[in-house]
Amino acid sequence: MAALPRLVCVSSVVLVVWAGFCSAVCVEVPSETEAVQGTHMKLLCISCMKREEVTASTVVEWFYRPEGGKDEPIYEYRKTNHEFPSRFSGRLQWNGSKDMQDVSITVLNVTLNDSGIYTCNITREFEFEIHRPLFTSSRWIHLTVVEEAGEDFTSVISEIMMYILLVFLTLWLLIEMVYCYRKVSKAEEAAQENATDYLAIPSENKENCAVPVEE
């Protein structure tokens, strides 16, 4: 019976640990999947630790698989960085964070031959007093390398809206010019009519039209 309280205690600790694993402390963001030839491409790999206060040793392995080929190791982090001999030799850069939640790498001077599937394997061994559980996770990135950057859909929409706005402003300006021209023309016609009517009045009537001056 003495072992029962100890078993209950161990079970409680395990339940607390698993409950902690269910609440993420970071956000896993997917990586971009298209790169332009000659640029630098960051292969984003984020694996959130569920309890940042728990000590864990992390091993990161990066693999590359060309279209129709097999996985080949290209990079590894096991307390220190290690780059395997491959087509990427001298072109890989570690971009991981200190807490080992972000374990991304960057491919420098991307070429068309770099298209393919990249795999990021993360292995964590958590250091608890009772046991040392081992957890693994993987991320896959299907990268496509293009010669030139395609137009962004948002920029295309912005250009279309800009042209529509320019056309609208041009039409509005033309309408305002026509309106002002007609208004000025009518004013000139009215002035000419008044002048013609005045000239048509006989001279004696013009004298009668004079305003009498009071003495």
Side-chain angles (χ1 to χ4, degrees):
M1 298 295 294
L4 183 58
R6 182 178 300 176
L7 180 60
V8 173
C9 181
V10 171
S11 302
S12 300
V13 172
V14 172
L15 288 174
V16 170
V17 170
W18 279 107
F21 287 142
C22 294
S23 58
V25 295
C26 73
V27 179
E28 298 184 6
V29 183
S31 175
E32 294 185 4
T33 57
E34 185 175 284
V36 180
Q37 181 181 9
T39 62
H40 301 338
M41 177 63 185
K42 183 177 181 178
L43 302 175
L44 192 62
C45 182
I46 296 177
S47 178
C48 298
M49 291 181 62
K50 308 306 179 183
R51 289 171 60 92
E52 60 182 355
E53 69 270 18
V54 176
T55 305
S57 58
T58 303
V59 175
V60 182
E61 298 172 304
W62 277 93
F63 296 88
Y64 167 74
R65 183 170 77 241
E67 298 293 340
K70 297 181 179 180
D71 286 336
E72 56 182 75
I74 59 175
Y75 202 90
E76 181 183 77
Y77 182 91
R78 194 186 298 266
K79 294 185 178 180
T80 58
N81 301 327
H82 175 66
E83 183 177 342
F84 292 95
S86 65
R87 69 179 69 190
F88 302 97
S89 295
R91 294 194 297 124
L92 297 178
Q93 186 178 77
W94 174 255
N95 286 132
S97 58
K98 292 182 178 180
D99 60 4
M100 296 303 293
Q101 297 196 78
D102 184 354
V103 292
S104 308
I105 61 173
T106 297
V107 182
L108 307 177
N109 299 322
V110 175
T111 66
L112 295 176
N113 294 328
D114 295 339
S115 296
I117 299 175
Y118 295 80
T119 304
C120 171
N121 290 336
I122 307 103
T123 303
R124 282 200 176 95
E125 183 178 4
F126 291 89
E127 302 174 3
F128 297 107
E129 295 182 0
I130 302 174
H131 64 304
R132 300 171 68 92
L134 196 67
F135 296 92
T136 61
S137 60
S138 298
R139 304 288 184 274
W140 292 271
I141 303 171
H142 194 165
L143 181 66
T144 302
V145 182
V146 296
E147 294 183 0
E148 296 180 355
E151 286 193 75
D152 187 15
F153 181 74
T154 304
S155 62
V156 173
I157 295 297
S158 299
E159 290 181 4
I160 293 175
M161 294 300 295
M162 182 184 66
Y163 287 128
I164 293 175
L165 181 61
L166 288 175
V167 172
F168 173 78
L169 291 176
T170 303
L171 291 175
W172 179 79
L173 183 60
L174 288 175
I175 293 173
E176 286 292 322
M177 290 177 64
V178 171
Y179 173 76
C180 292
Y181 176 76
R182 286 187 175 183
K183 192 172 183 180
V184 171
S185 298
K186 287 182 178 180
E188 290 180 352
E189 290 177 0
Q192 289 179 0
E193 289 178 359
N194 292 334
T196 303
D197 294 341
Y198 180 78
L199 292 175
I201 298 175
S203 58
E204 59 273 9
N205 293 338
K206 291 180 182 179
E207 293 177 356
N208 295 332
C209 291
V211 178
V213 178
E214 296 182 358
E215 296 182 356

